[in-house]
Amino acid sequence: MFIVDAHLDLSMNALEWNRDLTRPIDEIRARERLLTDKPDRGRGTLSFAEMRRGSIELCVATQIARYAAADNPLPGWRSQEQAWAMTQGQLAWYRAMEARGELVQIRDRAALDRHLDARDPSGAADRPIGYILSLEGADSLVTLAHLERAYADGLRAVGPGHYGPGVYAQGTNASGDLGVRGRELLREMERLGMILDATHLCDESFRDALDHFRGAVWASHSNCRALVPHNRQFSDEQIRELIQRGAVIGAAFDAWMLAPAWVRGESTPEAVGVTLETVVDHIDHVCQIAGNARHSMIGSDLDGGFGREQCPADVQTIADLSRLPAILAARGYRDEDVAAIAHGNVVRFLRDSWN
Ligand SMILES: [Zn+2]
């Protein structure tokens, strides 16, 4: 079954982790054997071949670059201009992958329909993977004119915040509302017809964003606070509000967001028993709140700063996303609902918002 992954930091892997996703996964891992600069070295799950093997024919792929003010302890660029330049490097990588025939950018309904109509029903996927460009954390937008430029380059979704305090929104582990600049950003996104990604907004910024934005909202990679308590996760009330707004919510695969027993840097997926079943627990929680299966999707975030040491134990590579439909079916989900979660909901959402 064809699968959409609504959150992958592909260009971050290419430029910050120095991973060549055009190479086989074993080779990508092998070349990191001696590296110790990041905790997930040698444990990546992503390559274009693995995406194709898992029938992930469409994804939402990010640009990501934080600006860290002097009082911000998180890693980040010292100026917004540097962050902007980073995203432009990331864009250049996406363009290079388009030139190689690995990726094709999907920026409107016609391109989406073309991409889906060209699917080989037998499941063979030896063709460019469709990607919708998204910005995770908006710090890199030096001015609103930069957003307009980014839109012209195909940017279609923006998550105003990421971790910590941001220029336009307060993110995970931070607090506070959007402020004047954040509200201006949302107005401009609305004018351009861009999607608001509610993932990573802290509770106050979430409230402020939903109050001030009238366009399409999704949450690309967010799990349930009722199952794993943390401000990074959505409360049932927030999930209910997102559903009322027509949102689709992507289930994320980062182990600490899946199982409450996870201790970062200590736990292993095997010891805690985090598996794809645990991912389905979060998908099911959203579906139970909705009363239907129309608001769930997959936003794995695989290799988004973590690898096999911190993802479901039964995920060797991203190709294992293709095992989710059978797990959903075993839980009693009807075929049409399984297809909706695997791809149908996000495709419907995009068609509606690009009308
Ligand atoms: Zn994220």
Side-chain angles (χ1 to χ4, degrees), residues 73-91:
L74 293 174
W77 296 101
R78 303 276 191 264
S79 72
Q80 281 185 275
E81 287 81 358
Q82 286 168 279
W84 169 258
M86 184 71 203
T87 65
Q88 297 312 289
Q90 293 169 344
L91 178 64

Side-chain angles (χ1 to χ4, degrees), residues 29-336:
R29 289 173 180 164
R31 291 202 64 175
E32 300 184 355
R33 234 178 7 241
L34 302 175
L35 299 181
T36 54
D37 59 327
K38 299 184 190 292
D40 56 331
R41 283 300 185 194
R43 301 195 186 97
T45 65
L46 267 185
S47 75
F48 291 133
E50 293 303 311
M51 288 178 74
R52 292 194 179 93
R53 202 160 68 78
S55 299
I56 300 146
E57 297 183 50
L58 181 65
C59 69
V60 180
T62 64
Q63 295 166 297
I64 177 167
R66 177 184 299 117
Y67 160 63
D71 57 353
N72 184 348
L74 293 174
W77 296 101
R78 303 276 191 264
S79 72
Q80 281 185 275
E81 287 81 358
Q82 286 168 279
W84 169 258
M86 184 71 203
T87 65
Q88 297 312 289
Q90 293 169 344
L91 178 64
W93 178 79
Y94 284 118
R95 293 287 185 245
M97 293 303 103
E98 290 176 52
R100 269 183 70 106
E102 298 283 2
L103 294 175
V104 58
Q105 193 182 53
I106 308 292
R107 54 163 81 192
D108 56 31
R109 189 171 164 160
L112 177 66
D113 288 343
R114 257 197 319 276
H115 187 67
L116 298 181
D117 289 348
R119 284 200 67 242
D120 181 338
S122 76
D126 188 19
R127 62 172 185 141
I129 298 164
Y131 81 98
I132 296 145
L133 191 61
S134 174
L135 181 64
E136 180 165 27
D139 293 352
S140 59
L141 301 169
V142 183
T143 69
L144 292 185
H146 289 72
L147 183 69
E148 198 164 8
R149 267 173 74 181
Y151 182 85
D153 287 325
L155 185 69
R156 290 296 177 268
V158 175
H162 189 223
Y163 277 89
V167 174
Y168 297 98
Q170 311 313 313
T172 300
N173 296 334
S175 60
D177 60 16
L178 295 179
V180 177
R181 292 192 73 182
R183 288 175 206 152
E184 282 172 359
L185 176 75
L186 291 188
R187 260 198 302 282
E188 186 67 358
M189 284 169 56
E190 204 176 294
R191 184 183 74 78
L192 293 165
M194 299 177 94
I195 297 160
L196 168 65
D197 190 345
T199 291
H200 281 297
L201 293 174
C202 74
D203 288 353
E204 296 92 336
S205 283
F206 177 92
R207 178 72 273 128
D208 209 9
L210 266 65
D211 285 345
H212 286 90
F213 186 76
R214 285 164 299 174
V217 183
W218 71 18
S220 62
H221 58 306
S222 289
N223 290 345
C224 306
R225 202 176 291 184
L227 302 184
V228 179
H230 190 279
N231 71 76
R232 166 77 178 79
Q233 317 268 74
F234 284 134
S235 68
D236 288 359
E237 195 183 333
Q238 289 171 319
I239 291 169
R240 214 166 282 123
E241 182 166 5
L242 287 168
I243 289 166
Q244 275 161 12
R245 291 283 293 258
V248 272
I249 301 169
F253 284 39
D254 198 339
W256 77 264
M257 294 168 60
L258 291 167
W262 189 269
V263 182
R264 270 190 262 196
E266 291 179 23
S267 297
T268 64
E270 292 76 15
V272 174
V274 181
T275 65
L276 288 168
E277 295 278 355
T278 327
V279 175
V280 170
D281 293 342
H282 287 263
I283 291 174
D284 188 62
H285 190 79
V286 171
C287 293
Q288 297 306 331
I289 291 175
N292 58 55
R294 290 172 57 80
H295 297 277
S296 273
M297 61 177 177
I298 299 160
S300 77
D301 199 15
L302 284 170
D303 292 5
F306 61 96
R308 289 212 57 225
E309 79 290 351
Q310 199 175 301
C311 76
D314 47 354
V315 172
Q316 314 292 326
T317 78
I318 194 169
D320 290 310
L321 258 60
S322 62
R323 298 174 44 232
L324 274 173
I327 296 172
L328 286 162
R331 295 261 186 123
Y333 280 75
R334 295 174 303 174
D335 289 353
E336 63 202 82

